[in-house]
Structure formats: C-alpha cells, structure tokens
Amino acid sequence: MIDVIGIGAEGAAGLKPTVIERIQAADFLAGGARHLAYFPEAKGGRFVVRDNLDELATILQRFAPSRRVVLASGDPLFYGIGRFLLERFPDARIEPALSSMQMAFARAGIPWQDAALASIHGRGLRATLLPLLGRPVIGLFTQDGRCPERVAAFFLRHGLADYRAIVAENLGALEERVLRVPNLGELADRSFAPLNYLILARNSADAEAARRRRLGPGISDHEFARPEGTAEVMTRQEVRSVILAKLLIPTEPGDSCWDIGAGLGTVAIEVALLRPDMEVLAVERDPVRARLLRAHHTLFETFNVRPIEGDAPETFNGEREAPRLVFIGGSGGRLADILDVVHERLMTNGRLVASFVTLEHLATMLEWLKSWRWPFEVTEVHVARSDALGGLTGLKPMRGVFIVSADKPGNTP
C-alpha cells in the first residue's frame, strides 16, 4: 500500500494524529523539500520529488511491500501527483487536504463550482490559457511569482482587458496576503510570493455572444454581416461544413491554424469554436472585409482568433509558431507565393485545405502538390437552395466550389 497524503497550508499541524503516525512509521518517505521538512524525525528513507517522477515510481516499486508514503500539496488528485501515482499503483490510498484553490476562492468570496480551473505549474502557458479566454471565472495554479503578470499579458494580447484579478499569496501562513486588482494592466511588472494562486473574474458577460457561440458548427449565413456596396465574398454554410470536415484533423493544445484570405471570418470563427485550445490567425487584405472580420471576432467572442489585416504571405514572417492547419480561402493573385510559404512552414503531418471557384487556381494548386509529392484529394461541391418561383418553390443553384485537401508527409523534401 502507498499512502499519498496531502498537506495544507498549516503543514503538519493540519493533519490528524493517525495520519501523522502513518508518516512517522513509513519505511520510505517522498515529497517536496518543504513537505519533508515538516517531519525531520521520520526515520525511513527519503526522496525529494522534483521533475523526477519516473525515478520516484521506480524506487516506490523497489520498496514494495514496505510502508511507503508520498507527501503532496493540498488535494493530490487536483493537478497534483495523485493521478501519476494511481496510474502506476492503482491501490494507492489518497488522503486529501484543503486545496489552495478552495482557500483562494473562499478568501475572494467567489463561488468556484462553475469556474474554469487549470494549472500552469509545469505546463505550457499558451496551451493552457487559450481555451480559457473569455471564461467568466478562472482559477489557476501558478508556477512562480511572475506568473500572474504573464497570464495578464497573455489575456491583454488577445484583447481581454475586461477582467479583475485576485492574487492569493501564502494561503494559511502568517504571511498570507490577498491582493485584489481591478484591471489586468495593473499586474504588469509585478511579482508575488512563489506560492500564489490566481483568480480572474470577468466584469461583464455578453449573452448574445454566448448565443452565437452555441450556433456552431454550421452557423447560418445570416448571422454574419455582409459588406455594403462591394461584391459579397462568403464561404457559404454548406460549403463551410465540408471545409471543416476536411480541415479538422486531430490537433494538440496550443496549435495554430492559418486562415489565409479569411474574408468575413466565417471559417476562422467556426474553427475557433470547435478547437478552443487552438489559435487561429485570420488574414485578410481587403480593408472592408477585414473590418467585418474583426467585428465577427468580437460578436462571437472567439478570443482565440487573431484577426490580421495585411497581405499573405508577408504577414506570417514574424510568426514563430508553425501551423498544424492551413486553410486558403483567397490568395489575392499570389497563390504561388502563399503555397511556397505553406510548404516550408506547415508542420509535418499537418493539413492544408484550399477552396477555389476557378479551374486555373485549381490547376496551380494541383501542380504544386504533385511537385511536392503530397497526397491530396479534390472534392467538388454544388449546393442549391430553395427559392420562390412563380408562387411555387424551386431550387436555385450556387456557384460550384473545388475543395483540395492535402497532408504534409513526414518525409517531405
């Protein structure tokens, strides 16, 4: 049997006598340096847990069937070591303590049952925070004293200043402090105690945006504004659905998608809603359409979309993240230049999808793909919608669309 014992802010004083007896009697005791320091008189072998969990599992196995205890912070099953140990030792016995998350929300006076809870301790900031953008209440385990500043900067970069923050430091200790910050900008250039918990609470909620977000996938065309006085360029609902089906291969949290020639942003919006842990870079060169793209980004509160007004492929020169997905909805007469950059930047085993209405662009696309030796598929989509006809109902056809999908192979030259 392995005992996994959570320790709260009170340290050993917060544990029941029977639990302390199990710790003192252990033949092997593991935990963070702070946890082990609470029990200097324990006689068993000791192991300091850092970034060495595989080594810990090996030693725990070696000590079987001796009495083994692993000390952890708060609730070991809430972003703690508990999951790791249960996967390897299913009979491990968990003894949780009050989590710093619970204490922080109690100090802040905010219910947490509906909060989005996550941890950036030892995890990628981008992959963790992208799906949290815009959530009403967020609770975060942090890595160090600079994490609140980095989180605030990430939210502000994505256009989210409408949050207040609560930073709870050294919870349960004599040095406990709870700082309430009315806006995220005030966290810039500030550091906190290494042991801190961060709560973000949004100041307002947009019910209409929440309604729109629930419309995907397959958002109706009439939910998007159209440009006035110019030719309408929109990826229609039916065609958009096929594009999404071709484009959305499995992705990882923190991945990027490029939407080139994004137009009104219909595809970018749907990708962002379906993959909230992915960032979508939506590039549009036409100022009128770019304005509507930004408006739709706001209306749907797709904060993981980054609208960019400019010419592709130059707009991607400063982007460090290689895309896993690329959709080309328009090229501005520069399809060859765009394809050259996509060939270079798309991740291995990434997916490229493009839509065309002309045979010339389709021929160019296929010529490039064949020269790269990328496997591809061409789909032709024809859609007709009901239309009034002399008091009766007929079908009015739309312009046909070619959809090309291709995967970048692992052995690409």
Side-chain angles (χ1 to χ4, degrees), residues 107-108 148 164-169 176-182 186-187 190-192 197-199:
R107 299 291 193 270
R164 64 187 188 277
I166 297 95
V167 184
E169 304 172 272
E176 178 182 303
R177 185 177 70 148
V178 178
L179 178 68
R180 300 172 187 271
V181 180
E186 294 188 24
L187 289 177
R190 298 191 67 162
S191 60
F192 298 88
Y197 189 89
L198 176 63
I199 298 172

Side-chain angles (χ1 to χ4, degrees), residues 81-409:
I81 199 173
R83 171 186 284 184
F84 172 86
L85 292 174
L86 283 174
E87 288 173 349
R88 288 154 182 81
F89 307 95
D91 62 342
R93 181 169 55 180
I94 309 294
E95 184 74 38
L98 188 65
S99 169
S100 58
M101 177 274 295
Q102 295 167 279
M103 295 181 67
F105 275 95
R107 299 291 193 270
I110 298 174
W112 59 270
Q113 70 264 23
D114 296 320
L117 306 174
S119 173
I120 50 177
H121 185 87
R123 294 169 172 83
L125 192 76
R126 171 187 166 90
T128 302
L129 296 184
L130 275 173
L132 302 180
L133 295 172
R135 299 292 292 270
V137 180
I138 301 164
L140 288 169
F141 288 103
T142 62
Q143 176 78 27
D144 53 43
R146 304 298 300 196
C147 274
E149 176 192 28
R150 291 198 292 270
V151 171
F154 187 91
F155 272 65
L156 291 172
R157 280 198 304 273
H158 287 81
L160 275 164
D162 188 30
Y163 278 91
R164 64 187 188 277
I166 297 95
V167 184
E169 304 172 272
N170 298 316
L171 287 164
L174 293 176
E175 305 83 20
E176 178 182 303
R177 185 177 70 148
V178 178
L179 178 68
R180 300 172 187 271
V181 180
N183 64 78
L184 295 183
E186 294 188 24
L187 289 177
D189 300 320
R190 298 191 67 162
S191 60
F192 298 88
L195 296 177
N196 70 79
Y197 189 89
L198 176 63
I199 298 172
L200 302 180
R202 200 166 176 194
N203 294 319
S204 61
D206 189 334
E208 181 59 19
R211 181 196 68 82
R212 287 193 177 94
R213 292 173 64 85
R214 292 192 294 270
L215 297 175
I219 300 172
S220 176
D221 293 344
H222 73 260
E223 295 289 340
F224 298 97
R226 319 291 176 86
E228 297 179 3
T230 61
E232 179 183 314
V233 178
M234 170 186 277
T235 304
R236 298 288 187 175
Q237 179 192 51
E238 296 85 355
V239 175
R240 196 185 324 134
S241 297
V242 177
I243 288 171
L244 293 171
K246 301 292 185 182
L247 180 64
L248 292 179
I249 60 173
T251 55
E252 298 292 333
D255 277 347
S256 287
C257 172
W258 291 358
D259 183 355
I260 302 172
L264 307 182
T266 58
V267 172
I269 295 295
E270 296 237 34
V271 171
L273 292 176
L274 290 168
R275 299 290 166 88
D277 57 2
M278 169 178 280
E279 184 172 35
V280 182
L281 278 63
V283 178
E284 174 53 47
R285 63 195 293 267
D286 180 79
V288 174
R289 297 189 185 104
R291 176 177 58 79
L292 290 172
L293 165 63
R294 291 190 293 269
H296 293 143
H297 156 66
T298 300
L299 286 172
F300 284 86
E301 289 196 339
T302 48
F303 297 110
N304 54 325
V305 171
R306 180 147 45 103
I308 302 172
E309 182 177 342
D311 291 301
E314 289 79 10
T315 50
F316 299 114
N317 289 342
E319 295 297 329
R320 292 181 297 176
E321 299 286 339
R324 189 179 296 273
L325 308 177
V326 173
F327 171 63
I328 302 175
S331 61
R334 301 185 61 191
L335 180 59
D337 294 336
I338 291 170
L339 288 174
D340 282 340
V341 172
V342 172
H343 176 263
E344 177 186 353
R345 296 293 305 277
L346 184 65
M347 294 175 63
T348 298
N349 299 317
R351 173 65 57 89
L352 166 63
V353 172
S355 65
F356 305 107
V357 295
T358 68
L359 293 169
E360 288 81 4
H361 282 142
L362 174 64
T364 299
M365 179 79 173
L366 298 184
E367 178 185 354
W368 255 246
L369 291 175
K370 289 175 182 177
S371 70
W372 301 341
R373 299 181 181 177
W374 288 16
F376 65 86
E377 177 186 74
V378 180
T379 303
E380 186 177 9
V381 179
H382 288 275
V383 175
R385 289 181 178 174
S386 59
D387 185 56
L389 183 63
L392 302 174
T393 302
L395 288 174
K396 183 177 181 180
M398 301 179 190
R399 189 190 301 271
V401 178
F402 301 107
I403 299 173
V404 182
S405 56
D407 295 313
K408 183 175 183 178

